[in-house]
Amino acid sequence: MLSPTPAELAARARADLRVGLPVAVGGLILASVETLAAERLAEIRAAGPLVLAVSGRRAETLKARAYDGDLARIAVPDDAGSDWLRAVADPADDLRAPLKGPLRTLRDGDVTAWRTGLALAKAAQLLPAVVGVEAPAPAGLTRLPAGGVTTRPMLPAEVAAARVPLSAHPASRVHVFREEDGGGEHYAIEIGMVDRARPVLTRLHSACFTGDVLGSLKCDCGPQLHAAMAAMAAAGGGVLLYLNQEGRGIGLANKMRAYDLQDQGFDTVEANHRLGFEDDERDFRLGAGLLRQLGIGSVRLMTNNPRKLSMMAAQRVEVAERVPLHAGLTPENAAYLDVKRAKSGHLE
């Protein structure tokens, strides 16, 4: 009973990657390109030929053949160091130094462990790029099986709740949920009196530090947050789910990288792809799970995102009505909102 579960081992591996420690996945020793120090890179290299794995999206930008479909394994030149690895993984200087190759990519063989490594890097909110070698793992490394990361979100458990009078409505209550695998915390805010016998006015709002806290004009998140709370108060009650999925699930650091790419002329989707991410890395099954824990089975969902609608239905939460939510249009975010409609299918 004292041994870690697979989910706990994955959480330990994510933490190791963030601090620059390698992990053992299947028969590989893997490390995050973003956090790996030159001294540890030299130790890994001593075990055999290095391979760099990047996502299929990043491979598209690099014009590298992704024989494995959703990822590409790049043979690392013998004289390549940390700077070379980072330049291949990080698109910050793509326009200033566009020539990274020629890159020789590998084909054939089982890529399950490499896929697990990239999933761990994404879950740790690091650049989706891992470098590694096929070799026995030394003692002390966190060890995972080749397919050691599940794509099923861990159901958060409620750990605390209290009445919090808000400016939107003095009769409000905040619930704190914590992911069972040691991941992030998420919040459910009951605003006013919530009648669970009827469809509940609900908003799934992903955390946005820049918009919600700093008042950034690059997105419409802050105005949407406050408009949703005001609408719930006016309706007499509602539930706001505040999900810790910053930057469409890529984390604040990668979101800032995407912003820098947008300043270079790429739109929000193109920036995510150049970083190696999908358009949207969020998992809205999390929101459905929180609603079920709150005893809510039918909602009037405040959203312009069709993915939220389909995910609610797939998770057995009835969407009795979609309530459009438009707020916060500025000259600075007009192009961003256009891209969300044109490329991400957001509704009017």
Side-chain angles (χ1 to χ4, degrees), residues 7 47 104-105 109 119 137 152 155 184 200 211 228 237-238 250 266 315:
R104 182 171 68 88
T105 55
R152 180 182 62 82
L155 182 64
V200 176
I250 66 176
F266 301 102
Q315 296 297 305

Side-chain angles (χ1 to χ4, degrees), residues 189-272:
I189 300 95
E190 292 191 60
I191 295 173
M193 300 301 294
V194 178
D195 183 359
R196 287 163 171 78
R198 304 175 62 185
V200 176
L201 187 61
T202 301
R203 165 76 177 161
L204 273 65
H205 188 90
S206 296
C208 178
F209 172 73
T210 50
D212 299 341
V213 179
L214 301 183
S216 168
L217 302 178
K218 283 182 68 68
C219 64
D220 55 346
C221 301
Q224 282 194 334
L225 171 65
H226 295 289
M229 294 174 71
M232 291 172 188
V239 171
L240 177 86
L241 300 183
Y242 197 85
L243 307 178
N244 231 327
Q245 301 188 118
E246 179 82 42
R248 296 186 179 183
I250 66 176
L252 185 59
N254 286 317
K255 177 179 169 180
M256 292 300 99
R257 293 180 175 119
Y259 276 10
D260 182 57
L261 292 172
Q262 289 171 37
D263 287 341
Q264 296 180 38
F266 301 102
D267 68 36
T268 182
V269 171
E270 293 166 343
N272 270 26

Side-chain angles (χ1 to χ4, degrees), residues 56-71:
R57 289 296 190 186
R58 181 62 182 149
E60 289 174 13
T61 296
L62 296 167
K63 302 298 187 289
R65 292 184 181 274
Y67 293 114
D68 304 317
D70 58 339
L71 64 93

Side-chain angles (χ1 to χ4, degrees), residues 227-311:
M229 294 174 71
M232 291 172 188
V239 171
L240 177 86
L241 300 183
Y242 197 85
L243 307 178
N244 231 327
Q245 301 188 118
E246 179 82 42
R248 296 186 179 183
I250 66 176
L252 185 59
N254 286 317
K255 177 179 169 180
M256 292 300 99
R257 293 180 175 119
Y259 276 10
D260 182 57
L261 292 172
Q262 289 171 37
D263 287 341
Q264 296 180 38
F266 301 102
D267 68 36
T268 182
V269 171
E270 293 166 343
N272 270 26
H273 290 179
R274 294 186 78 87
L275 283 164
F277 295 103
E278 296 302 318
D279 303 19
D280 193 335
E281 295 277 351
R282 293 173 293 181
D283 193 332
F284 295 120
R285 290 178 292 183
L286 174 65
L290 295 187
L291 288 171
R292 286 196 296 270
Q293 289 195 65
L294 291 169
I296 296 171
S298 180
V299 296
R300 298 171 57 227
L301 193 62
M302 303 185 73
T303 187
N304 307 321
N305 188 343
R307 287 187 61 237
K308 293 182 181 180
L309 300 172
S310 59
M311 186 57 72

